[in-house]
Amino acid sequence: MTRHLPALIIVIPLLSALVTSGSGWFNQKAPFRIAVSALLLSLLCAVLMLIQVVTTGIAMEYRMAGWAGPMGIVYVIDHLSAIVLVVITSVSCLNLVAQRKNIHAEFKDKQGAFNALYVLFTAGLIGMTATGDAFNLYVLLEIVSLSGYALIGLGNTRAPLATLNYLFLGTIGATFYLLGVGYLYIATGTLNMAELTTMIPKLMDSGVILFAFIICVTGLFVKMALFPVHGWLPDAYSQATPAAAGLIAPLTTKVTVYILIRICMTVFTPEYTFDHLDISGFIVLVAVVTIVFGSLSALAQKNVKKMLTYIIIAEVGYMVGGFFLGNRLGISGAILHIINDAAMTLALFLAAGIFIWKTGGESRSDLKGLFAKMPFTMAGFVLAALSVVGVPPTCGFFSKWYLISGGVQAGNYLFVAALIFSSLVNAVLFFRLFEIAYFEPFGEDEDHAHGHGNSHGSHHHVGALAIKEAPLDMLVPFLAACMALIVLGLYSGTIITNIIQFAIPTGVI
Amino acid sequence: MESIFSLVLAKANYAAYIILMMIGLYAMIAKNNLIKKIVGMSIFQTAVILFYVSIGCKKGATIPILRHHGHPEPVGHAAENAGAHAMDAAHGAEKVVAHAVDAAHNAVHVADYINPLPHVLMLTAIVVGVATLGVALALAIRVYNTYGTLEEDEINQQLRSG
């Protein structure tokens, strides 16, 4: 049974996505139930595989349809992919449970379609993480992208245009990656990542390999919204419905960073990426610009969701910069930040989803007086915000600590300065929100409305009274995500020594 | 100059795919009409398909289906197949010998066949391209229903004014 886990974790959601879309015709509640149970089963598979990989210390390899090695497609679960799989499945599961009411309200008769896309998106991410074949990765990347376009396009009236722009850039990114894989194939004659690793050292001086590297990495940069090619992300993510944003925002960029790490470390060896090519410094510089730009743009936003999307861009800068520092501390920080940032972004977007559900507005001023009305939600939101700022003992502090230590060790003080600057900006951002939510009384224009007339006044009044704590089935998953921030923080040492340490090749110091 | 020219000519397939790719990229970035952008995207993807197909090709080679598969004479296949059940057991040993002889006779020369893998990969890429095109067109319809136009500048004007 455990032997087949790497296949089951993707086959279960893939097949249930098919069933889900049809089940909506027969029963309104069936799609949600099927989707949640499929994702729970995947989560179970992921946890079992993580336990097996950590206890045995050996990567699991699964040969699809029994075809071995370079001829067939293999799925490889090592320390890195096992932990990322757990992150993907748990985030996807928590978000779906938390957004049940949202999905029901927004997609009344289309719940089957939405849940099917949701599960398909998750299946694609799982496949991207688990696959050991460079071309299979492209196919799964496109599955993720296509279901992601559909999920975002289901948002408000502005969503289709934003999605179309995302689709153009996403296609450019994925096609660049495909082209890079083509050049890799020309040079090596294989698409299997494990075999590529053994062949790259002999071809270090090849121009074809250099071109393949540049074009692959550029494609991934477009997909993860690094600075000059970030334009699609804020529009697309902020127009999506809360249910879709809560899935896509925490996972897409993070998994793409994982793919970058996988491509640079497993396919092109660290010796090639860091020592042979003299580009690490330049990419760290781009990451620094991304961090500063993302933070400053977030500062300029009045819309809470849009502000969060710019924070995502800054966080992409953290991870890419930390990875390209090229030392053990920096890479550990980048990998730890993939896990932590997925949890933080999930918590923030769930909080935003609750605010929108309760107040109906997305603007900063819609948060007025919410501390008094929704104490538990706001407590969770404060926790998530402190984690983004990087206050111990939340998990955000620990990954930032590793990233900063990595920057100091590499002597890259610009990166360190950018991280500290971004933390300060985040503190300003969130404390500004807290100020509005804590000090400004709820419904400031209430008296104003009273003066106007009874009908208006009573309407406002009802609105003001109706806002109480969020419903339990939204609140519980949200608070679980917030608790995860502390748990991840407290156990970050364990995660580093038991998992991440083995994910980095021994050659990296 | 001449050497560059001959270099390009010798690798005309690569030049063609890069030109096509740039046409597509130009259309995606510079065109104002969303449908033209979508057409550009399709050209962009097709360029990579051309690249892959051309790397699998070889002059004078054929498709990778083995012409000899253990039978010295291709005649009488049907009859042989009909009686295969009866004959198989009896001729099992004989066949092994025949195979061995055959293998020496008709050893597969890799150089005679093209590499099928890039072509097979492109079947998947074509499907992906069609799916992307479909999603893009569906989104374009929704954009048109919302704004009543597919020209980007007109849409931006509407967004700014309202």
Side-chain angles (χ1 to χ4, degrees), chain A residues 284-308:
Chain A
V284 174
L285 195 65
V286 174
V288 166
V289 177
T290 309
I291 295 172
V292 174
F293 171 84
S295 303
L296 289 180
S297 307
L299 207 54
Q301 301 303 321
K302 283 206 171 68
N303 182 311
V304 176
K305 249 163 119 186
K306 206 145 198 180
M307 181 194 100
L308 296 181

Side-chain angles (χ1 to χ4, degrees), chain A residues 492-504:
Chain A
S492 60
T494 321
I495 297 174
I496 291 269
T497 49
N498 286 323
I499 300 167
I500 295 177
Q501 190 200 335
F502 298 105
I504 305 170

Side-chain angles (χ1 to χ4, degrees), chain A residues 366-374 436-443:
Chain A
D366 288 315
L367 298 181
K368 277 177 194 161
L370 284 190
F371 265 104
K373 298 280 177 190
M374 308 158 62
I436 294 171
Y438 196 85
F439 289 110
E440 292 193 28
F442 185 86

Side-chain angles (χ1 to χ4, degrees), chain A residues 127-190:
Chain A
M128 273 168 80
T129 311
T131 188
D133 184 277
F135 185 78
N136 195 233
L137 177 56
Y138 164 75
V139 176
L140 289 156
L141 184 73
E142 285 289 21
I143 290 180
V144 171
S145 308
L146 286 169
S147 43
Y149 303 145
L151 282 173
I152 294 175
L154 287 169
N156 59 25
T157 48
R158 282 189 178 200
L161 186 64
T163 314
L164 205 51
N165 285 327
Y166 172 26
L167 187 143
F168 290 142
L169 273 164
T171 306
I172 293 178
T175 309
F176 272 9
Y177 174 77
L178 178 63
L179 194 60
V181 171
Y183 277 95
L184 264 181
Y185 183 72
I186 292 182
T188 62
T190 180

